[in-house]
Amino acid sequence: MDPGGWNGFATLSDFYDKFDANDQRIGQYYNYPGARPNPGHRRNVGFLIGQQYNLTTDAALQDRKGNPLVFTPTVSLRETGDNLENNRDKG
């Protein structure tokens, strides 16, 4: 991954759920000049939901703890489990 200064835009799941599953605005593969190779034609515009992939190698990405990097449209008010990161984890 090429980390940047921020993780991009976010929205409420209620807004995301207003889109039909086949609506292209929700996200799709889009080939444009200067884009990464994207050999798997993975979603690269719109809402990035599901397993995330390296757009150059098509390798499935992992979080800092080695779990699959999967984005979901929902967030719990109180998160628990292996997907948490906090300052104590940074050593």
Side-chain angles (χ1 to χ4, degrees), residues 5-87:
W6 62 298
N7 286 328
F9 297 100
T11 190
L12 298 174
S13 61
D14 289 342
F15 179 73
Y16 177 85
D17 291 340
K18 290 181 181 187
F19 290 92
D20 181 71
N22 297 322
D23 191 327
Q24 290 184 351
R25 296 173 296 170
I26 207 167
Q28 63 180 340
Y29 163 70
Y30 180 68
N31 189 16
Y32 56 93
R36 294 186 181 187
N38 200 351
H41 293 177
R42 305 294 181 179
R43 181 183 289 186
N44 60 352
V45 296
F47 295 103
L48 303 178
I49 300 297
Q51 173 68 51
Q52 301 302 297
Y53 294 87
N54 180 309
L55 295 182
T56 301
T57 66
D58 202 38
L61 296 176
Q62 298 177 336
D63 66 15
R64 290 180 183 100
K65 294 184 176 184
N67 301 310
L69 183 61
V70 178
F71 296 154
T72 64
T74 58
V75 175
S76 298
L77 288 177
R78 185 170 191 177
E79 291 286 341
T80 60
D82 264 355
N83 66 335
L84 298 178
E85 294 182 15
N86 59 46
N87 290 333

